[in-house]
Amino acid sequence: MITDLEKIKKYLQAVKIKPTYLRIRLLKYLLEKKNHPTGKMIYQALKKELPTISLTSIYNNLELFAKKGLVKILLLDPKEIRFDGEKGHHHFFCEKCQKIIDLPIDCNLIKKKKIFGHLIKDWDGYFFGICKDCQRDG
Amino acid sequence: MITDLEKIKKYLQAVKIKPTYLRIRLLKYLLEKKNHPTGKMIYQALKKELPTISLTSIYNNLELFAKKGLVKILLLDPKEIRFDGEKGHHHFFCEKCQKIIDLPIDCNLIKKKKIFGHLIKDWDGYFFGICKDCQRDG
DNA sequence: TCCAAATCTGTAATCATTACAAAATTATAA
DNA sequence: TTATAATTTTGTAATGATTACAGATTTGGA
């Protein structure tokens, strides 16, 4: 996992994003936490250490990151967008505890370049139901 | 395809939804059109024949239908929710022409009851990219 | 150090969705 | 058929995430 500030800086430069301190900290947060945060969650968390940040900057840079393919936009919840610092896996949403669980599924479909002739650039796989823990707990 | 009003009425009653005229017409619209409409699109279309309808009723009943499993909420666009009168297929979204294309994929994952121990109740599969037509047109 | 460009902040605007109370409709029973 | 209670629908206002925008700040290069 990439969490060292210098490494993150290079990670940003590799995709032609100017590595400002805010961007480095934002990406660091996304790579370290696995909590699929909303923009507001990130804002509130980073605000503790960077008191002057604005929600607008968080949103702007998340959009930039997503456009450059650094992070994934999750549309699990119609009410708010969530972000994921890691790509390449499916997601499970528990309707009981509301937890979002990463699923390391080996899916053949997503390995293909095309599907029914349509060029695949990205994909999302969501499952909804009751997670293992909630089933056990009743 | 079920589009006859009487059949739709029975379809609603089968899932214990009181078949009011608005609900019958709303479900008819969803079953006939394959346009993955937003709430507003449905509202504007139905308003032509049912001038007194309200957007609130559309939303309320779409939520009811979704809860009863009659329609599918599509999480394709962060800006607005779309609805699908047919379930059981994946979706492709063309980033060029913005078209939503149904993909009749035979996926083994979604036939399973559980995945990594988590109970599956519903699922969504999305692909993003350039559709066949837009590739040909340049 | 200085400067132009890019980024960030703070506030206000946007707009899909939801809340809520009153009006209308429905189903049922007398 | 008519009265009645429950449900549904309407219309308006509220909510809240996201976006627009202008001015302040920061950045990287000369």
Side-chain angles (χ1 to χ4, degrees):
Chain A
M1 200 200 321
I2 308 170
T3 54
D4 171 54
L5 291 189
E6 265 308 312
K7 278 187 184 164
I8 292 175
K9 190 172 176 178
K10 279 172 186 158
Y11 190 21
L12 284 168
Q13 286 168 328
V15 294
K16 306 262 196 299
I17 293 177
K18 192 188 285 187
T20 64
Y21 190 59
L22 174 64
R23 283 170 178 169
I24 293 169
R25 292 302 301 269
L26 174 58
L27 186 51
K28 177 175 154 70
Y29 179 91
L30 286 164
L31 292 171
E32 284 181 348
K33 308 281 180 181
K34 309 288 186 181
N35 54 344
H36 311 91
T38 63
K40 195 198 244 180
M41 283 165 67
I42 300 170
Y43 171 69
Q44 289 171 335
L46 289 184
K47 201 177 176 59
K48 289 173 188 163
E49 296 184 42
L50 310 170
T52 67
I53 60 168
S54 71
L55 186 52
T56 300
S57 282
I58 300 295
Y59 273 116
N60 285 342
N61 284 305
L62 285 170
E63 193 194 338
L64 176 66
F65 289 0
K67 201 172 290 175
K68 295 287 188 174
L70 289 186
V71 307
K72 184 124 197 57
I73 291 176
L74 299 187
L75 303 178
L76 272 169
D77 184 346
K79 292 200 180 45
E80 53 191 359
I81 300 171
R82 289 171 175 275
F83 298 88
D84 196 338
E86 292 195 333
K87 306 174 74 179
H89 53 264
H90 290 61
H91 291 92
F92 186 95
F93 180 76
C94 179
E95 61 186 39
K96 212 161 186 186
C97 67
Q98 316 285 308
K99 204 158 39 202
I100 299 168
I101 300 166
D102 292 339
L103 303 176
I105 291 170
D106 186 42
C107 174
N108 291 321
L109 287 171
I110 61 181
K111 291 173 187 163
K112 292 181 164 183
K113 296 269 186 298
K114 289 193 180 184
I115 189 153
F116 294 109
H118 312 302
L119 182 66
I120 299 173
K121 288 192 160 187
D122 201 2
W123 54 270
D124 276 318
Y126 303 122
F127 291 89
F128 304 88
I130 316 276
C131 76
K132 198 195 269 186
D133 291 347
C134 284
Q135 287 173 64
R136 192 189 50 230
D137 301 346
Chain B
M1 198 201 323
I2 306 171
T3 55
D4 170 55
L5 292 189
E6 267 307 311
K7 278 186 184 164
I8 292 175
K9 189 171 176 178
K10 280 172 187 157
Y11 190 21
L12 284 168
Q13 286 168 326
V15 295
K16 306 264 195 299
I17 294 177
K18 194 188 283 188
T20 65
Y21 190 59
L22 173 64
R23 285 171 177 168
I24 293 169
R25 291 302 300 271
L26 173 59
L27 186 51
K28 177 175 153 71
Y29 179 91
L30 285 164
L31 291 172
E32 283 181 349
K33 309 280 177 183
K34 308 286 184 182
N35 54 344
H36 311 91
T38 63
K40 195 199 240 179
M41 284 165 67
I42 300 170
Y43 172 70
Q44 288 170 336
L46 288 184
K47 201 177 176 59
K48 289 172 187 164
E49 296 183 42
L50 310 170
T52 66
I53 60 167
S54 71
L55 187 53
T56 300
S57 283
I58 300 295
Y59 273 116
N60 284 342
N61 284 305
L62 285 170
E63 192 195 337
L64 177 66
F65 288 0
K67 200 172 293 175
K68 295 286 188 175
L70 288 186
V71 306
K72 184 125 197 56
I73 291 176
L74 299 187
L75 305 175
L76 268 173
D77 185 346
K79 293 205 179 43
E80 53 191 0
I81 300 172
R82 288 173 174 273
F83 299 87
D84 195 338
E86 292 196 332
K87 306 174 75 179
H89 53 264
H90 289 61
H91 290 93
F92 186 94
F93 180 76
C94 179
E95 62 187 37
K96 211 161 186 188
C97 68
Q98 317 284 307
K99 204 157 39 201
I100 299 168
I101 300 165
D102 292 339
L103 303 177
I105 291 171
D106 186 41
C107 174
N108 291 323
L109 286 173
I110 61 183
K111 291 173 187 161
K112 292 180 164 184
K113 295 273 187 296
K114 290 194 180 183
I115 189 154
F116 294 109
H118 312 303
L119 181 67
I120 299 173
K121 287 191 161 189
D122 202 3
W123 55 269
D124 277 317
Y126 302 113
F127 291 89
F128 304 88
I130 316 276
C131 76
K132 197 194 272 186
D133 291 347
C134 285
Q135 288 173 65
R136 191 189 52 229
D137 300 347

